[in-house]
Amino acid sequence: MKKTVDDCIFCKIAKGEIPSTTIYEDDDFKVMLDINPASKGHAVILPKNHAANIFELEDEDAEKIFKVARKCAAAMMEVLHCDGINILQNNGEAAGQTVFHLHVHLIPRYNGDTVNITWKPGTPEEDAAELAARIKAAVK
Ligand code: AMP
Ligand code: ZN
């Protein structure tokens, strides 16, 4: 039995209550074209178990989702003849998350396109070693 949330649009899509342009589906995931694509063929992978973000994602889904991403990305490269593909996932409003049911974006990239997924490279933190040590100690 999948865990779902009543007022979650992606749960409704995962259950088939709201239609979607599905490109892949199995027992655990649905992959659909994004309704407001960043580029031609932009798709999103939804686990059928509701998880608001990566921290709530069940281990089993976490283990499987990258395989689904690879499988769909390979098909997209073949069909769309794109030149590359970004695979990304946003957690929290500050990171650009707008739908709070975890999803992984598959964004086909075309040479010279206007998709903007960039940042200005910074300089290393002065206390990078200390920072790394603190994070390392917190990894569970
Ligand atoms: P994020 O900003 O990472 O939370 O991404 C949410 C994505 O879901 C956006 O790219 C939306 O365009 C997409 N989206 C929202 N509602 C739908 C829908 N009903 N069908 C397909 N894609 C959707
Ligand atoms: Zn949901």
Side-chain angles (χ1 to χ4, degrees), residues 7-59:
D7 61 353
C8 173
I9 184 171
F10 280 7
C11 280
K12 288 183 178 149
I13 290 172
K15 283 191 279 184
E17 292 173 8
I18 292 179
S20 62
T21 41
T22 303
I23 64 166
Y24 173 82
E25 183 163 10
D26 63 22
D27 289 346
D28 304 308
F29 300 97
K30 181 171 270 198
V31 187
M32 64 180 175
L33 294 181
D34 195 291
I35 204 163
N36 294 127
S39 65
K40 184 176 181 173
H42 178 175
V44 284
I45 307 173
L46 323 177
K48 292 185 177 179
N49 262 325
H50 178 89
N53 51 44
I54 198 165
F55 308 111
E56 290 187 5
L57 189 65
E58 294 190 0
D59 281 352

